[in-house]
């Protein structure tokens, strides 16, 4: 009889313990935030392995859903009907770009920092460029100076993270620039720790396995020219104080540079492109802090040897790639990629911009960015390096 009472006692105790675990797990994972809601429109789309074509997920069961507005099932929109398949050359282009990433990552003769570490070994702070849209099953790694403002706008529209009079914003170009780069508008991997604690890495891996992952890149040297033009050729108080003054003191013979960017520009003083390149190659630079995201290498921003990207876009083929990607994601009925009429930095300008940079310095710079050239299929700029 005593044994029977003891058995019942342990059964009750074990049941109470399991209920407690379920409550804690539910509070940590499901309740705190909106991104885990399944019954939203349209549902996540995943690329069918080996085909490059998306597959549908089953619609969510709404029979037990709350009547709260944020939890009601929203019928998915019909996907735009296309009369012709995606062009074979576009599918082949993506296959080649994905295959190149795999080959370079597997090539032991190509070495660069962090190449052989596992995803778990990547510090959380280095995952801040991976934007997640749980509504559509998308992960975007944004690379500054590669149309990232417009792609961030698209991610805001798709995730419905910006409401205007209670209605999700549908026009990417109507999103103010200050909000585009506001971190509160984007749910990134480095925020998982705060929301999910010990479950963070597990959830990251689940999403990396199931979601469609994409990034856009451009010629590494052209990206540097674009970064310089945007941050130092035009008045930018923040970049002047953080970086411009350092360059002027170290390489511009300006021991006491002007206190503000307006004063500097009124005197015709700003770092030259050659100063900028010297700054990138100076060992003191990364001793003080990691490269700023606008000139940090793509392999350090997006970890292409740890994350198997489904789509690799190039800025040089941006319009074709954007149309292809949105169609694969089945969101081309929801949003269009904004075309830009701005004066984009062209690769044909490289020889002019590097004319005042010594050849040996150019070669050192190429070594610094060579992994990006190799990973993403950009030719070695022999005309700049062999003079």
């Amino acid at each position: 009889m005593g044994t029977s009472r003891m058995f019942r006692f342990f059964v009750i105790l074990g049941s109470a313990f399991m209920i407690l675990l379920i409550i804690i797990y539910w509070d940590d994972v499901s309740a705190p935030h909106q991104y885990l809601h399944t019954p939203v429109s349209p549902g996540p789309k995943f690329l069918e392995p080996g085909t490059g074509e998306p597959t549908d997920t089953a619609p969510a069961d709404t029979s037990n859903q709350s009547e709260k507005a944020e939890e009601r099932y929203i019928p998915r929109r019909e996907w735009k009907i296309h009369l012709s398949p995606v062009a074979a050359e576009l599918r082949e282009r993506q296959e080649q770009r994905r295959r190149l990433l795999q080959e370079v990552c597997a090539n032991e003769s190509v070495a660069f920092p962090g190449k052989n570490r596992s995803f778990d070994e990547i510090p959380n702070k280095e995952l801040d460029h991976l934007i997640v849209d749980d509504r559509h099953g998308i992960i975007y790694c944004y690379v500054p100076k590669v149309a990232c403002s417009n792609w961030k706008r698209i991610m805001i529209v798709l995730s419905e993270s910006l409401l205007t009079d209670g209605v999700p914003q549908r026009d990417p170009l109507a999103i103010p620039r200050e909000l585009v780069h506001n971190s509160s508008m984007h749910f990134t991997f480095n925020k998982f720790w705060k929301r999910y604690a010990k479950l963070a890495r597990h959830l990251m891996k689940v999403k990396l396995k199931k979601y469609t992952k994409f990034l856009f890149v451009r010629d590494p040297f052209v990206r540097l020219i674009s970064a310089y033009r945007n941050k130092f050729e035009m008045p930018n108080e923040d970049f002047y104080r953080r970086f411009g003054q350092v360059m002027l003191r170290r390489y511009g013979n300006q021991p006491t540079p002007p206190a503000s960017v307006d004063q500097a520009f009124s005197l015709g003083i700003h770092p030259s492109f050659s100063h900028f390149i010297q700054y990138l190659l100076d060992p003191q630079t990364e001793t003080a802090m990691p490269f700023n995201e606008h000139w940090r290498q793509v392999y350090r921003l997006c970890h292409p040897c740890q994350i198997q990207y489904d789509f690799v876009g190039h800025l040089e083929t941006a319009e074709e790639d954007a149309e292809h990607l949105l169609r694969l994601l089945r969101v081309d009925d929801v949003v269009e990629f904004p075309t830009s009429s701005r004066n984009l930095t062209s690769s044909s300008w490289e020889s002019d911009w590097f004319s005042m940079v010594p050849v040996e310095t150019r070669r050192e710079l190429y070594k610094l960015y060579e992994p990006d050239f190799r990973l993403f299929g950009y030719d070695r700029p022999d005309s700049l390096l062999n003079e």
Side-chain angles (χ1 to χ4, degrees), residues 123-139:
N124 184 55
K125 63 183 178 181
E126 295 182 20
L127 299 173
D128 59 339
H129 280 240
L130 293 160
I131 299 176
V132 181
D133 169 23
D134 284 304
R135 297 180 65 87
H136 301 86
I138 301 170
I139 296 174

Side-chain angles (χ1 to χ4, degrees), residues 162-177:
L162 179 62
L163 302 180
T164 303
D165 297 328
V167 178
Q169 177 58 256
R170 292 298 182 193
D171 180 5
L173 291 179
I175 301 173
R177 185 172 180 82

